[in-house]
Amino acid sequence: MLEVDDLHVQLDADAGLVRAIDGMQLTLSRGETFALVGESGCGKSMTALALMRLLPENGRVAGGAVRLDGDNLTALPERRMRDVRGGRISMIFQEPSTSLNPVMRVGDQIVEAIEAHTELRGAAARAKAIDWLRRVGIPEPERRVDDYPFRLSGGQKQRVMIAIALAAEPDYLIADEPTTALDVTIQAQILDLLRDLQRERRLGVLLITHDLAVVSGLAHRVALMYAGQIIEVAPAVEFFTQPRHPYARLLLQALPDASRRGEPLAAIRGTVPPLWQSFAGCRFEPRCDKAMRHCAGTPPMLTDEGPRHQVRCLLFSQPGEALPGEPAIAAMPAPAPAGSGVPLLDVRDLRVRFALKTPLFHRGPRHFDAVAGVSYQLHAGRTLALVGESGCGKTTSGKAIVQLLRRQAQISGQALLAGRDLFSLSGAALVDARRSIQIIFQDPFASMNPRMRVADVLEEGLIALRPELDAAARRERLNVLVDQVGLRRDALQRWPHEFSGGQRQRIAIARALAVEPRLIVCDEPTSALDVSVQAQILNLLRELQRERGLAYLFITHNIGVVEYIADDIAVMQGGRIVESGTCMDVLGQAREAYTRRLLAAVPRLQSPAP
Ligand code: SF4
């Protein structure tokens, strides 16, 4: 058994002493999958690093113990700890590309693990490496064993990482966001593989993830972390059907899916507190919709709420007088009538071709068609989701519409915005069209100049695209914009780095709204965000759509988000649309085999959250 007993991990940071893990208690048995879930910065990954004694240089275990079958890992000499790492506990990380050695053949990397932790050497170790490649589902393992990592796809690299992790035949596996960087179909294959290997080898698996749907299909027990502590631990089925902690309930209600269409998602106000501050009471109190008078001054302990079910909340141990608070789910105004008649955007046979850098006498193709003839229509007030796996051309087609590829690619076809072809415009007509279509990117920080204050970031677009506004009118407009996206007005004088990911995405939305567009291309706008922040942003986008009749071209790989927000769907594969229709038709009765495969691969919560 792997046992974590009252573990405390501290980090020295510029802001002060960070208590990254504060009294962690958990056990993991052979044959069990235990999921550690929570939002960014709650301490999940730090727990994994502490178990492996791989903490960053500014970190240390400040108390407690990690025991593996009786050995205290926190006190083992480093020489013995090296045998534990890989030999008894292995780890796989989120990003296989950065975990594999790019200049070493994949077979050699597996052999290295086999020779370090088993008796096998030379040809026998190589034969075993080929066997591992076969077991993790790499086709033609005898040939692929000599490939370098760059020749493998993302899913194959993650399979090789799993092969390396298991080659030493460990008893326990720590999987830190093992499928977050992968497409859903590859994710489904990797999860099946983990499930099979876990059963076959009676592995104890510590699964670390923010994806509750992945957990629901894989884990036996679940622990939810918040601000460095476990706040609820329960058998998986019980956690998903009867969560007790207010945060767990809200988190499950913040997940977008088809069952919540037409209603707002639970909006958890505020953000996760920084861990350099000290806490007098419950760490979730400022965000809790069930907070009581004594919660701010009384730290709750983990208490039993049933067999193997523990909760850290005073509602269960010391109930008292409730504080008046805002409801976590606010009512939403009635939807705007669906657009009809002439479409706002009518894309006809869009093609985007990139030139390939090839040697002079190269015989193969000299170009690559990222989008190979795509047609769709989008009406005002509606949301069209472009979905598909990485490389299917969805982002490229969105960028082409916003005119971001004019210099890099050869674009043909038509994109009629209210009847005017965007690709044939120039001069004042092009400026006007640019004003009508804006884009929001996945990473708002990368799309902002870090040396510009928020006011300047927002004003930049106004100066370029609304030259008729004078300085006073622009300032007034900025105030209205920050109000609209739910930021305080003092945000205007601050720098982008001072904001959280969700706040930065609000700034990006404000920047898009600044020029009063009619259409916004949303390119994976929530995929880098935590569930609770994603819910805030999706609620905001829907509100703005209702108020202003905005049309959204929503590019995403997250089918749950699509089910929640989209009116229509176009499924892309290999630069073409393979199926399109209303959300209900495509998701309910997909005609194409590819769409059915894509939908079948999406992990689902086993039971609906209450
Ligand atoms: Fe909410 Fe109080 Fe429970 Fe904390 S202890 S989660 S503030 S009810």
Side-chain angles (χ1 to χ4, degrees), residues 245-246 282 284-285 288 290-292 295 300 312-315:
H245 197 283
C282 171
F284 187 57
E285 190 270 342
C288 182
K290 299 272 185 281
M292 304 171 291
C295 292
R312 190 186 292 274
C313 173
L314 299 173
L315 276 178

Side-chain angles (χ1 to χ4, degrees), residues 336-414:
S340 58
V342 181
L344 175 65
L345 179 68
D346 188 358
V347 175
R348 299 177 185 173
D349 197 27
L350 172 66
R351 291 167 190 269
V352 183
R353 172 171 286 184
F354 290 96
L356 293 176
K357 282 189 186 142
T358 52
L360 191 57
F361 298 109
H362 175 77
R363 284 169 178 270
R366 293 183 175 272
H367 57 255
F368 165 64
D369 290 322
V371 180
V374 156
S375 303
Y376 57 82
Q377 295 185 335
L378 174 56
H379 287 86
R382 282 180 83 81
T383 300
L384 168 68
L386 280 186
V387 302
E389 297 177 277
S390 317
C392 69
K394 54 189 192 304
T395 292
T396 306
S397 60
K399 284 184 174 171
I401 305 297
V402 193
Q403 317 263 355
L404 290 179
L405 300 176
R406 277 193 160 204
R407 286 162 198 244
Q408 296 107 302
Q410 201 181 321
I411 298 173
S412 62
Q414 285 185 312

